[in-house]
Amino acid sequence: MIKSLSKTLVAAAALTLAMGVSAQELKIGYVNSERVLREAAPAKAAQAKLEAEFKKRETELADQGNRLRGAMEKLEKEAPTLPESERTRRQRDLADQDRDFQRKRRELLEDLNQRKNEELSAVVERANKVIKQIFEQEKYDIILQEVIFAGPRVDITKKVIDALNAGK
């Protein structure tokens, strides 16, 4: 992050020197990417789409986990009265079921992360197009996305969110 900030500052200083103008004459903008991904309608729509897409699998997995927990509790209660062979067989079955549950949980998380990355990259791509349009239309010299501090005078995040919500 420090390298990124240093590169940004060097780029801004170089731009200032190259243009031969004072820093106050530069038109600088800042976009809070996290806020865009949290508040923009396309990002919210992508999140809702993902929730709908994975809801059934999450529910099935939760049900399987509850059944497995119930079976483990039942075995714990019955274990003292069960014959050794029966207890061993049931423990083995539960271990197999637990491995299956853990595998399904990992697969769900991997699939969810992959789809989330796909959906968010589409939103980021749209946001970058909007930022470029604002850059060109309003004749900015530089628009930054990763900074430590930015004042409200240079923050154009709301413009970007509004443009995304308008479908531009």
Side-chain angles (χ1 to χ4, degrees), residues 20-88:
V21 296
S22 70
Q24 289 187 351
E25 293 176 17
L26 279 177
K27 187 165 182 181
I28 298 173
Y30 161 69
V31 177
N32 182 332
S33 300
E34 288 179 28
R35 187 172 152 211
V36 169
L37 292 175
R38 201 175 48 244
E39 297 177 15
K44 289 178 181 179
Q47 183 65 32
K49 180 178 177 182
L50 288 172
E51 287 173 8
E53 185 176 326
F54 286 91
K55 184 173 182 67
K56 181 181 177 191
R57 282 177 64 187
E58 288 173 343
T59 303
E60 289 172 355
L61 192 62
D63 290 345
Q64 182 181 359
N66 290 334
R67 284 191 306 274
L68 182 59
R69 254 189 310 283
M72 286 179 175
E73 289 171 3
K74 182 179 178 186
L75 176 62
E76 252 181 63
K77 289 178 185 174
E78 297 174 353
T81 61
L82 289 175
E84 182 68 29
S85 62
E86 177 66 13
R87 184 174 62 229
T88 304

Side-chain angles (χ1 to χ4, degrees), residues 66-163:
N66 290 334
R67 284 191 306 274
L68 182 59
R69 254 189 310 283
M72 286 179 175
E73 289 171 3
K74 182 179 178 186
L75 176 62
E76 252 181 63
K77 289 178 185 174
E78 297 174 353
T81 61
L82 289 175
E84 182 68 29
S85 62
E86 177 66 13
R87 184 174 62 229
T88 304
R89 184 191 63 76
R90 286 173 66 179
Q91 285 174 334
R92 206 174 16 250
D93 287 346
L94 287 174
D96 289 345
Q97 289 175 28
D98 186 51
R99 272 193 300 279
D100 183 54
F101 172 75
Q102 297 300 331
R103 179 187 52 77
K104 286 180 179 179
R105 190 171 66 96
R106 274 192 311 275
E107 288 173 355
L108 174 68
L109 290 174
E110 289 171 3
D111 292 348
L112 178 61
N113 285 333
Q114 181 180 354
R115 287 288 296 125
K116 188 175 186 178
N117 288 337
E118 290 169 1
E119 291 293 328
L120 287 181
S121 67
V123 172
V124 167
E125 187 176 319
R126 288 179 62 191
N128 285 338
K129 286 179 183 176
V130 165
I131 293 168
K132 185 175 181 188
Q133 286 175 344
I134 291 171
F135 175 84
E136 291 170 350
Q137 289 171 353
E138 298 185 21
K139 298 184 179 8
Y140 277 88
D141 294 309
I142 189 169
I143 294 179
L144 306 170
Q145 286 185 306
E146 291 186 37
V147 297
I148 295 175
F149 299 106
R153 185 172 58 89
V154 296
D155 192 347
I156 62 168
T157 305
K158 178 100 171 86
K159 282 183 190 179
V160 174
I161 292 170
D162 291 345

